[in-house]
Amino acid sequence: YPEKSVGALYGTHVPTTPFQRLALTSGSAVGALFNPARADLVAALVSTLLLLSDIGLDPTGRRLLSEQPRITSKNIELCYTLPTNTFGGSYAKFMARPGKRGFSADERPPVRFVDDPELAYVATRYREVHDFWHVLFGMGTTVLGETGIKAVELLQTGLPMCGMATLGGTFRLTPVKRRLLYST
């Protein structure tokens, strides 16, 4: 990544004007609706719609904000040695599915458009734990699976982006899959 820009609040921060933020939000939303596999568009949408966080109100949340642990390939290596009937083993299997996922925890696009370093960490953490939800709920990375996970995230976080993704994903589903989503 390029060196820290003038006015940047953290290493990957890109300062934006209100108009630029509106353009990023709109463009990312439309782009992600038509191509949900574009992680960069989804990441930009999360960044521009992260309005506030009450994570600091909880003792565990305050510890997370203080320590700011990250979920990276290096610190999840142990998961690959665990039995697949454990959460860690299931997570490793989910991340390394040959031909299907093969995704590294280090490949997520960085948070860039959040104008507060603490909220930038919250956005990063939100994106890092996203795949945990897939494992916990047994949901794949299909449009149905992602829409279901975004609905859960909406209930858990209240993030506007999750509501938009749930609504957008619902429209992309066939009537049969839409009924399946609402019946589970």
Side-chain angles (χ1 to χ4, degrees), residues 3-21:
E3 290 185 30
K4 191 173 174 179
S5 64
V6 176
L9 301 171
Y10 49 91
T12 59
H13 181 237
V14 176
T16 56
T17 66
F19 177 75
Q20 289 170 323
R21 184 174 291 278

Side-chain angles (χ1 to χ4, degrees), residues 28-44:
S28 298
V30 170
L33 178 62
F34 288 104
N35 190 356
R38 288 277 310 269
D40 59 326
L41 295 175
V42 175

Side-chain angles (χ1 to χ4, degrees), residues 158-177:
L159 290 173
M161 180 272 175
C162 298
M164 290 175 62
T166 302
L167 183 62
T170 299
F171 286 117
R172 291 182 54 94
L173 296 172
T174 64
V176 171
K177 289 187 178 179

Side-chain angles (χ1 to χ4, degrees), residues 7-120:
L9 301 171
Y10 49 91
T12 59
H13 181 237
V14 176
T16 56
T17 66
F19 177 75
Q20 289 170 323
R21 184 174 291 278
L22 177 65
L24 277 167
T25 302
S26 304
S28 298
V30 170
L33 178 62
F34 288 104
N35 190 356
R38 288 277 310 269
D40 59 326
L41 295 175
V42 175
L45 189 58
V46 169
S47 295
T48 58
L49 288 177
L50 188 67
L51 303 176
L52 59 102
S53 170
D54 60 2
I55 190 172
L57 301 177
D58 178 79
T60 302
R62 282 193 299 274
R63 193 178 93 238
L64 281 171
L65 289 174
S66 172
E67 297 173 8
Q68 295 197 359
R70 299 290 310 278
I71 300 166
T72 64
S73 295
K74 182 168 177 51
N75 63 22
I76 62 170
E77 287 175 356
L78 175 64
C79 293
Y80 291 93
T81 67
L82 298 173
T84 56
N85 66 341
T86 65
F87 175 73
S90 296
Y91 176 73
K93 181 179 176 186
F94 176 82
M95 294 297 281
R97 292 183 296 174
K100 291 207 173 199
R101 179 85 171 146
F103 180 75
S104 167
D106 300 329
E107 293 176 348
R108 290 180 183 89
V111 171
R112 300 182 307 186
F113 306 111
V114 177
D115 292 333
D116 177 296
E118 190 172 271
L119 287 180

